[in-house]
Amino acid sequence: MAARQDGDDGEDGEDYFLPLEDQSIFATRPSSTPSGPSIADAYLSIVLKKQATANTTPSSPNPPTEQNQEPSPRETHSAPPSSHAPSPQPPPQTTDHCEICNLPLSTDPSKETSESDSIDRPHEASLAHQVCLTHSHPPSHLDRTRVGLKYLSTYGWDPDSRRGLGAPGREGIREPLKGRVKNDTAGLGAGLDADGDRIKDPPPPPPKKVQKLNAKQMRKNQMEERKRGEKLRNLFFMSDDVLKYLGEEV
Amino acid sequence: MVDRRSDSEGGSRAKRQKMEAGDPKDNPYLAHMYEDNHSKADSSSAFAKFKRHQTTAALAKKAEDGDVNPFNGQPFSSKYFSILKARRDLPVHQQRDEFLQLYQQSQILVFVGETGSGKTTQIPQFVLFDDLPQTQRKMVACTQPRRVAAMSVAQRVAEEMDVKLGDEVGYSIRFEDKTSSKTLLKYMTDGMLLREAMNDHNLSRYSTIMLDEAHERTMATDVLMGLLKEVVARRPDLKIIIMSATLDAQKFQRYFLDAPLLAVPGRTHPVEIFYTPEPEQDYVEAAIRTVLQIHATEGEGDILVFLTGEEEIEDAARKIALEGDEMVREADAGPLKVYPLYGSLPPHMQQRIFDPAPPARRPGGRPGRKVIISTNIAETSLTIDGIVYVVDPGFSKQKIYNPRIRVESLLVSPISKASAQQRAGRAGRTRPGKCFRLYTEEAFKKELIEQTYPEILRSNLSSTVLELKKLGIDDLVHFDLMDPPAPETLMRALEELNYLACLDDEGELTQLGRLASDFPLDPVLAVMLISSPEFYCSNEILSITALLSVPNVFVRPASQRKRADEMKALFSHEHGDQLTLLNVYHAFKGAEAQANPKQWCHDHFLSLRSLQSADNVRMQLLRIMEREELDMVSTPFDDKKYYENIRRALCAGFFMQVAKKESQGKSVYTTIKDNQSVLLHPSTVLAHDAEWVLYNEFVLTTKNYIRTVVAIKPEWLLDIAPTYYDVNSFPKGDIRSSLQRAADRLARKEKMRSERR
């Protein structure tokens, strides 16, 4: 079904793709999101661990503060623990699997020490985990006050679900079809380059020759320019939204 | 005729039967009451030994070969037997037993037959001999996407069965019903069956329903398929046959829960396909060149060229005819006859395409050839024998609807691969042929989509939604359509119906909506018609509605444009085109014109055919108006409000199709709410620069035009459609301030009136 959806959108601009790392911002899965204090803890454990690894390699003793801090996140965490510091005691449950990506949560310490990269990163940041997250998308552009939307919503269609209409298993298109106006008699495939891509508009014509204008023409040009400027300003600043924002009555 | 259909519903049936006491034993609905009378005939009837849904081809053959027609008890004519012989040669006949088995076994069957297999004429007859609808007091229906096909096929099948058209075999199309109480097999447009379903949700009059040409995926066929899927669950006794050309048959199978599929090969010859090595810079010119080249170098056989529209076709036809004449003079080529073909061409001109190719100019000379230049109506709907060469530039005009600006437009677009195959197939009807595609093989593979998008994805859905609501289907989100439309398109339709007050704010059908769905019209026109008595002009609005439902009444031949425009000016009304149309109609109904309508229309550059069909449509609509007890009234013609009332009544339907003149820019208008810049179409008669106009059509070509416009006043809009024209809902600007001024004027008037009291 996913393939079908992708195929349908083709080239319309409504569906934009978010890079993975940005999408995770919208990911709000309660199971994967640590609760308030644990975020801070996770952060600390990342930051402090760096220190720890930096410290351990030259084989100097760990600062006492770290040792005090280390156990606390592990206790408060109900969500998968995100710290992987090479602690002297092995964690109580080494065979824990992440609910989302089904990978073991903490690998054995010997491996971690060998791969310094994975030590620094909590499990949630790993690529495998990110790929498995269900990503939520930006909400649909549809105006929520529309009567038609209200009707469809009462029958269970969610505008933000990025799904079409239809019986289960036979989902329809999500965006209306778009036509392209053709006003010439160019044949099929003319205007395409060798790869079948549409050739962009022809390059702009060479700049026009410099013209000499008399005073009257200059004045006229200036007037037109001013008019255009005013029109643009009106377009930008006289809109209801801006006026409302500026506190003027609309 | 229209009444009869809705009367057949439920309780009123008994009443009808009494009325048709003429010869009740012929009435299939009453067949069970006259068994005794029939027993004598029955014992000798060929059907005596028939057991419903257990017959075989051999049994049917015996009945067909008998002396007496088992359907009407009359002896068979000699013509019947000669047709029967030809029928038995059709490819479908080879598989009659196979068909019967599958038909008897399952409730739904997908039947695939290529053009020329005889499916449209033969399968319904196969069904009649096995389903025996007369014993169930039911009928067999076969739908067609086009009116013409429904009529002509019914005519043909009536001949094949040796019965009178309208008796055992009949047809039913919009504004025309040729069936009787005897009718067992009814050909009808898919739209008509859908209309019947609106009043009879289970389609209980039918024992078998065939949807023919399902691959064309018209809106009505698509909706019917979704509906029938629900009906078969409620009615285990109903059988469905989906008939399609080969393309995409599995899709139908999957949709109908893996129904069995029967395929019958057509009688086609191989077609060689040629591509161009390079893309063509100008497909029209390339098409002309290709035709002339075929004429110069290829053997005998007629040519079919596909182009996109009337103007393009006429232009190409002229050029080919000129060049052809020159080839005859200079290169001793065979004579070349060119025929254009498009929908708006009068029937007698369309008929000419069946003329034989011109003969060689002298015995032993090079053979003549005919060239048909056609829109895509020759792709499926019309079959022309003798075509050996097809020229396909790969374009057709296709409808597309943009719900964001609410514009339905016809755009020249690349065809689909399926369409290209269909076009090529036209060359192999009589003998092996050739198809010249004016594009590269690369372009065929990469540029063309697999299947043409079904109509339901390309249209405004407001009438469909109204129909679905009337059919009792409320859950439009999960209604099982083969290709569900985009949510935005459906939302737009719901909103339009809400503004028209056909649906209330909860989306429920209102009284007005129920009434509007009884009219075979767009909801805008239906609402306008229903509210017209309030404006004291229902007679006039009825005429205008009829005129807007038929092809253009004005004829403007390229050679006599000036004269035609002068004639049009005789009828023109300063306030706009709808009123001009009304003037034309009134003149047409006048004594002078009716004395010799043909001559009169010819003299005034009017289309007699359009005016006559407007007359017919008006009559049919009038019956519905009378049945619904809507008053037929007029404002006295000498009243100064005569035309104003009509213009107000137009607003009652078309208030969502309004444009206001822009403050700068000459005769540039902006459409209300959608803010599209538009120009008045050059054909308009609007004499003065009206501030506010209402339009019938938005035409998207090189420029955006609004066509068929009438001048109106913003006060009327505020008065008639206050929710749509809520001043506060408009953004600050020209339109809002103009509406505000109108509202102030209204308020002042109101105040003065109350002070006077």
mmCIF file of all heavy atoms in Angstrom, chain B residues 658-688:
data_model
loop_
_atom_site.group_PDB
_atom_site.id
_atom_site.type_symbol
_atom_site.label_atom_id
_atom_site.label_comp_id
_atom_site.label_asym_id
_atom_site.label_seq_id
_atom_site.Cartn_x
_atom_site.Cartn_y
_atom_site.Cartn_z
ATOM 1 N N VAL B 658 -19.893 33.217 -10.054
ATOM 2 C CA VAL B 658 -20.038 34.655 -10.224
ATOM 3 C C VAL B 658 -18.651 35.273 -10.331
ATOM 4 O O VAL B 658 -17.703 34.802 -9.707
ATOM 5 C CB VAL B 658 -20.814 35.253 -9.024
ATOM 6 C CG1 VAL B 658 -20.752 36.757 -9.026
ATOM 7 C CG2 VAL B 658 -22.263 34.788 -9.049
ATOM 8 N N ALA B 659 -18.558 36.321 -11.156
ATOM 9 C CA ALA B 659 -17.288 37.029 -11.267
ATOM 10 C C ALA B 659 -17.550 38.523 -11.173
ATOM 11 O O ALA B 659 -18.615 39.009 -11.561
ATOM 12 C CB ALA B 659 -16.603 36.691 -12.587
ATOM 13 N N LYS B 660 -16.553 39.231 -10.646
ATOM 14 C CA LYS B 660 -16.676 40.685 -10.547
ATOM 15 C C LYS B 660 -15.590 41.322 -11.368
ATOM 16 O O LYS B 660 -14.456 40.839 -11.401
ATOM 17 C CB LYS B 660 -16.541 41.114 -9.092
ATOM 18 C CG LYS B 660 -16.887 42.576 -8.908
ATOM 19 C CD LYS B 660 -16.363 43.151 -7.621
ATOM 20 C CE LYS B 660 -16.540 44.658 -7.631
ATOM 21 N NZ LYS B 660 -15.643 45.300 -8.612
ATOM 22 N N LYS B 661 -15.938 42.439 -12.009
ATOM 23 C CA LYS B 661 -14.981 43.140 -12.837
ATOM 24 C C LYS B 661 -13.867 43.697 -11.972
ATOM 25 O O LYS B 661 -14.102 44.214 -10.886
ATOM 26 C CB LYS B 661 -15.694 44.275 -13.566
ATOM 27 C CG LYS B 661 -14.965 44.774 -14.752
ATOM 28 C CD LYS B 661 -15.934 45.542 -15.643
ATOM 29 C CE LYS B 661 -15.173 46.504 -16.497
ATOM 30 N NZ LYS B 661 -14.971 47.827 -15.943
ATOM 31 N N GLU B 662 -12.645 43.576 -12.478
ATOM 32 C CA GLU B 662 -11.523 44.140 -11.724
ATOM 33 C C GLU B 662 -11.490 45.643 -11.914
ATOM 34 O O GLU B 662 -11.873 46.162 -12.960
ATOM 35 C CB GLU B 662 -10.202 43.523 -12.209
ATOM 36 C CG GLU B 662 -9.976 42.144 -11.624
ATOM 37 C CD GLU B 662 -8.701 41.499 -12.147
ATOM 38 O OE1 GLU B 662 -7.862 42.203 -12.749
ATOM 39 O OE2 GLU B 662 -8.565 40.286 -11.947
ATOM 40 N N SER B 663 -11.014 46.347 -10.886
ATOM 41 C CA SER B 663 -11.056 47.818 -10.965
ATOM 42 C C SER B 663 -10.104 48.330 -12.050
ATOM 43 O O SER B 663 -10.426 49.239 -12.793
ATOM 44 C CB SER B 663 -10.727 48.428 -9.610
ATOM 45 O OG SER B 663 -9.636 47.756 -9.042
ATOM 46 N N GLN B 664 -8.927 47.727 -12.120
ATOM 47 C CA GLN B 664 -8.054 48.067 -13.246
ATOM 48 C C GLN B 664 -8.194 46.984 -14.300
ATOM 49 O O GLN B 664 -8.661 45.894 -14.041
ATOM 50 C CB GLN B 664 -6.589 48.155 -12.807
ATOM 51 C CG GLN B 664 -6.314 49.244 -11.792
ATOM 52 C CD GLN B 664 -5.893 48.653 -10.453
ATOM 53 O OE1 GLN B 664 -6.119 47.485 -10.185
ATOM 54 N NE2 GLN B 664 -5.297 49.493 -9.625
ATOM 55 N N GLY B 665 -7.743 47.302 -15.483
ATOM 56 C CA GLY B 665 -7.754 46.280 -16.518
ATOM 57 C C GLY B 665 -9.078 46.237 -17.219
ATOM 58 O O GLY B 665 -10.134 46.243 -16.601
ATOM 59 N N LYS B 666 -9.015 46.200 -18.522
ATOM 60 C CA LYS B 666 -10.236 46.290 -19.300
ATOM 61 C C LYS B 666 -10.908 44.930 -19.383
ATOM 62 O O LYS B 666 -10.295 43.948 -19.753
ATOM 63 C CB LYS B 666 -9.902 46.784 -20.712
ATOM 64 C CG LYS B 666 -10.814 47.915 -21.158
ATOM 65 C CD LYS B 666 -10.362 48.414 -22.495
ATOM 66 C CE LYS B 666 -11.480 49.102 -23.239
ATOM 67 N NZ LYS B 666 -11.036 49.365 -24.617
ATOM 68 N N SER B 667 -12.147 44.881 -19.033
ATOM 69 C CA SER B 667 -12.996 43.674 -19.072
ATOM 70 C C SER B 667 -12.281 42.426 -18.565
ATOM 71 O O SER B 667 -12.428 41.348 -19.104
ATOM 72 C CB SER B 667 -13.577 43.437 -20.460
ATOM 73 O OG SER B 667 -12.562 43.318 -21.409
ATOM 74 N N VAL B 668 -11.484 42.615 -17.526
ATOM 75 C CA VAL B 668 -10.932 41.462 -16.823
ATOM 76 C C VAL B 668 -11.789 41.260 -15.581
ATOM 77 O O VAL B 668 -12.093 42.220 -14.873
ATOM 78 C CB VAL B 668 -9.465 41.702 -16.400
ATOM 79 C CG1 VAL B 668 -8.904 40.472 -15.704
ATOM 80 C CG2 VAL B 668 -8.628 42.043 -17.611
ATOM 81 N N TYR B 669 -12.164 40.033 -15.341
ATOM 82 C CA TYR B 669 -13.002 39.726 -14.189
ATOM 83 C C TYR B 669 -12.260 38.796 -13.225
ATOM 84 O O TYR B 669 -11.304 38.120 -13.609
ATOM 85 C CB TYR B 669 -14.300 39.047 -14.638
ATOM 86 C CG TYR B 669 -15.282 40.002 -15.283
ATOM 87 C CD1 TYR B 669 -15.088 40.470 -16.579
ATOM 88 C CD2 TYR B 669 -16.398 40.438 -14.588
ATOM 89 C CE1 TYR B 669 -15.982 41.346 -17.163
ATOM 90 C CE2 TYR B 669 -17.305 41.319 -15.169
ATOM 91 C CZ TYR B 669 -17.089 41.763 -16.457
ATOM 92 O OH TYR B 669 -17.981 42.630 -17.031
ATOM 93 N N THR B 670 -12.694 38.798 -11.986
ATOM 94 C CA THR B 670 -12.139 37.868 -11.001
ATOM 95 C C THR B 670 -13.277 37.003 -10.492
ATOM 96 O O THR B 670 -14.329 37.523 -10.121
ATOM 97 C CB THR B 670 -11.552 38.631 -9.807
ATOM 98 O OG1 THR B 670 -10.676 39.625 -10.310
ATOM 99 C CG2 THR B 670 -10.795 37.706 -8.884
ATOM 100 N N THR B 671 -13.073 35.694 -10.461
ATOM 101 C CA THR B 671 -14.139 34.839 -9.961
ATOM 102 C C THR B 671 -14.206 34.953 -8.435
ATOM 103 O O THR B 671 -13.178 35.042 -7.766
ATOM 104 C CB THR B 671 -13.929 33.369 -10.359
ATOM 105 O OG1 THR B 671 -12.674 32.924 -9.853
ATOM 106 C CG2 THR B 671 -13.944 33.200 -11.850
ATOM 107 N N ILE B 672 -15.426 34.956 -7.919
ATOM 108 C CA ILE B 672 -15.631 35.130 -6.481
ATOM 109 C C ILE B 672 -15.152 33.895 -5.733
ATOM 110 O O ILE B 672 -15.421 32.777 -6.144
ATOM 111 C CB ILE B 672 -17.133 35.377 -6.187
ATOM 112 C CG1 ILE B 672 -17.641 36.584 -6.966
ATOM 113 C CG2 ILE B 672 -17.368 35.568 -4.697
ATOM 114 C CD1 ILE B 672 -16.901 37.858 -6.726
ATOM 115 N N LYS B 673 -14.493 34.095 -4.656
ATOM 116 C CA LYS B 673 -13.950 33.067 -3.753
ATOM 117 C C LYS B 673 -12.742 32.344 -4.327
ATOM 118 O O LYS B 673 -11.843 31.999 -3.595
ATOM 119 C CB LYS B 673 -15.013 32.037 -3.348
ATOM 120 C CG LYS B 673 -16.152 32.653 -2.575
ATOM 121 C CD LYS B 673 -16.414 31.980 -1.254
ATOM 122 C CE LYS B 673 -17.462 32.802 -0.515
ATOM 123 N NZ LYS B 673 -17.832 32.293 0.753
ATOM 124 N N ASP B 674 -12.736 32.035 -5.626
ATOM 125 C CA ASP B 674 -11.604 31.301 -6.175
ATOM 126 C C ASP B 674 -10.536 32.230 -6.734
ATOM 127 O O ASP B 674 -9.417 31.806 -7.006
ATOM 128 C CB ASP B 674 -12.074 30.350 -7.271
ATOM 129 C CG ASP B 674 -13.180 29.449 -6.782
ATOM 130 O OD1 ASP B 674 -13.058 28.959 -5.649
ATOM 131 O OD2 ASP B 674 -14.170 29.269 -7.496
ATOM 132 N N ASN B 675 -10.901 33.500 -6.933
ATOM 133 C CA ASN B 675 -9.954 34.535 -7.357
ATOM 134 C C ASN B 675 -9.167 34.195 -8.608
ATOM 135 O O ASN B 675 -7.958 34.373 -8.669
ATOM 136 C CB ASN B 675 -8.977 34.846 -6.216
ATOM 137 C CG ASN B 675 -9.712 35.357 -5.002
ATOM 138 O OD1 ASN B 675 -10.641 36.163 -5.130
ATOM 139 N ND2 ASN B 675 -9.326 34.885 -3.839
ATOM 140 N N GLN B 676 -9.867 33.671 -9.602
ATOM 141 C CA GLN B 676 -9.211 33.423 -10.874
ATOM 142 C C GLN B 676 -9.484 34.614 -11.796
ATOM 143 O O GLN B 676 -10.604 35.114 -11.850
ATOM 144 C CB GLN B 676 -9.763 32.155 -11.528
ATOM 145 C CG GLN B 676 -9.582 30.914 -10.678
ATOM 146 C CD GLN B 676 -8.136 30.517 -10.577
ATOM 147 O OE1 GLN B 676 -7.470 30.294 -11.585
ATOM 148 N NE2 GLN B 676 -7.621 30.446 -9.363
ATOM 149 N N SER B 677 -8.446 35.018 -12.510
ATOM 150 C CA SER B 677 -8.611 36.091 -13.468
ATOM 151 C C SER B 677 -9.210 35.524 -14.746
ATOM 152 O O SER B 677 -8.666 34.575 -15.300
ATOM 153 C CB SER B 677 -7.250 36.704 -13.779
ATOM 154 O OG SER B 677 -7.237 38.029 -13.378
ATOM 155 N N VAL B 678 -10.316 36.100 -15.180
ATOM 156 C CA VAL B 678 -10.969 35.561 -16.373
ATOM 157 C C VAL B 678 -11.396 36.676 -17.312
ATOM 158 O O VAL B 678 -11.544 37.830 -16.917
ATOM 159 C CB VAL B 678 -12.220 34.723 -16.006
ATOM 160 C CG1 VAL B 678 -11.838 33.448 -15.297
ATOM 161 C CG2 VAL B 678 -13.180 35.531 -15.156
ATOM 162 N N LEU B 679 -11.581 36.304 -18.580
ATOM 163 C CA LEU B 679 -12.094 37.232 -19.574
ATOM 164 C C LEU B 679 -13.462 36.751 -20.020
ATOM 165 O O LEU B 679 -13.759 35.559 -19.938
ATOM 166 C CB LEU B 679 -11.165 37.242 -20.793
ATOM 167 C CG LEU B 679 -9.759 37.773 -20.565
ATOM 168 C CD1 LEU B 679 -8.896 37.474 -21.780
ATOM 169 C CD2 LEU B 679 -9.812 39.269 -20.315
ATOM 170 N N LEU B 680 -14.255 37.690 -20.514
ATOM 171 C CA LEU B 680 -15.536 37.276 -21.096
ATOM 172 C C LEU B 680 -15.246 36.590 -22.419
ATOM 173 O O LEU B 680 -14.419 37.047 -23.200
ATOM 174 C CB LEU B 680 -16.428 38.501 -21.349
ATOM 175 C CG LEU B 680 -16.859 39.281 -20.114
ATOM 176 C CD1 LEU B 680 -17.726 40.463 -20.529
ATOM 177 C CD2 LEU B 680 -17.612 38.389 -19.150
ATOM 178 N N HIS B 681 -15.890 35.483 -22.669
ATOM 179 C CA HIS B 681 -15.688 34.759 -23.926
ATOM 180 C C HIS B 681 -16.133 35.636 -25.093
ATOM 181 O O HIS B 681 -17.149 36.336 -24.986
ATOM 182 C CB HIS B 681 -16.485 33.454 -23.897
ATOM 183 C CG HIS B 681 -16.080 32.495 -24.962
ATOM 184 N ND1 HIS B 681 -16.675 32.473 -26.189
ATOM 185 C CD2 HIS B 681 -15.117 31.544 -24.981
ATOM 186 C CE1 HIS B 681 -16.101 31.530 -26.922
ATOM 187 N NE2 HIS B 681 -15.157 30.946 -26.214
ATOM 188 N N PRO B 682 -15.392 35.618 -26.192
ATOM 189 C CA PRO B 682 -15.753 36.507 -27.317
ATOM 190 C C PRO B 682 -17.176 36.290 -27.820
ATOM 191 O O PRO B 682 -17.745 37.181 -28.456
ATOM 192 C CB PRO B 682 -14.749 36.120 -28.401
ATOM 193 C CG PRO B 682 -13.686 35.327 -27.748
ATOM 194 C CD PRO B 682 -14.151 34.885 -26.411
ATOM 195 N N SER B 683 -17.767 35.142 -27.545
ATOM 196 C CA SER B 683 -19.109 34.888 -28.074
ATOM 197 C C SER B 683 -20.199 35.605 -27.277
ATOM 198 O O SER B 683 -21.352 35.590 -27.676
ATOM 199 C CB SER B 683 -19.396 33.384 -28.038
ATOM 200 O OG SER B 683 -19.518 32.955 -26.693
ATOM 201 N N THR B 684 -19.845 36.244 -26.177
ATOM 202 C CA THR B 684 -20.892 36.825 -25.331
ATOM 203 C C THR B 684 -21.563 38.019 -26.011
ATOM 204 O O THR B 684 -20.954 38.712 -26.829
ATOM 205 C CB THR B 684 -20.334 37.246 -23.963
ATOM 206 O OG1 THR B 684 -21.438 37.627 -23.141
ATOM 207 C CG2 THR B 684 -19.395 38.424 -24.089
ATOM 208 N N VAL B 685 -22.816 38.235 -25.654
ATOM 209 C CA VAL B 685 -23.544 39.359 -26.240
ATOM 210 C C VAL B 685 -23.637 40.518 -25.251
ATOM 211 O O VAL B 685 -24.194 41.561 -25.576
ATOM 212 C CB VAL B 685 -24.976 38.961 -26.635
ATOM 213 C CG1 VAL B 685 -24.945 37.884 -27.687
ATOM 214 C CG2 VAL B 685 -25.769 38.522 -25.429
ATOM 215 N N LEU B 686 -23.096 40.315 -24.064
ATOM 216 C CA LEU B 686 -23.199 41.325 -23.016
ATOM 217 C C LEU B 686 -22.718 42.673 -23.567
ATOM 218 O O LEU B 686 -21.562 42.826 -23.932
ATOM 219 C CB LEU B 686 -22.330 40.898 -21.835
ATOM 220 C CG LEU B 686 -22.679 41.504 -20.494
ATOM 221 C CD1 LEU B 686 -24.087 41.122 -20.110
ATOM 222 C CD2 LEU B 686 -21.704 41.012 -19.455
ATOM 223 N N ALA B 687 -23.642 43.642 -23.631
ATOM 224 C CA ALA B 687 -23.328 44.871 -24.353
ATOM 225 C C ALA B 687 -22.508 45.836 -23.511
ATOM 226 O O ALA B 687 -21.586 46.476 -23.999
ATOM 227 C CB ALA B 687 -24.622 45.537 -24.792
ATOM 228 N N HIS B 688 -22.816 45.912 -22.220
ATOM 229 C CA HIS B 688 -22.139 46.910 -21.389
ATOM 230 C C HIS B 688 -21.185 46.211 -20.432
ATOM 231 O O HIS B 688 -21.233 44.986 -20.251
ATOM 232 C CB HIS B 688 -23.182 47.705 -20.592
ATOM 233 C CG HIS B 688 -24.086 46.832 -19.791
ATOM 234 N ND1 HIS B 688 -23.874 46.564 -18.480
ATOM 235 C CD2 HIS B 688 -25.194 46.129 -20.146
ATOM 236 C CE1 HIS B 688 -24.822 45.744 -18.038
ATOM 237 N NE2 HIS B 688 -25.627 45.467 -19.038
#
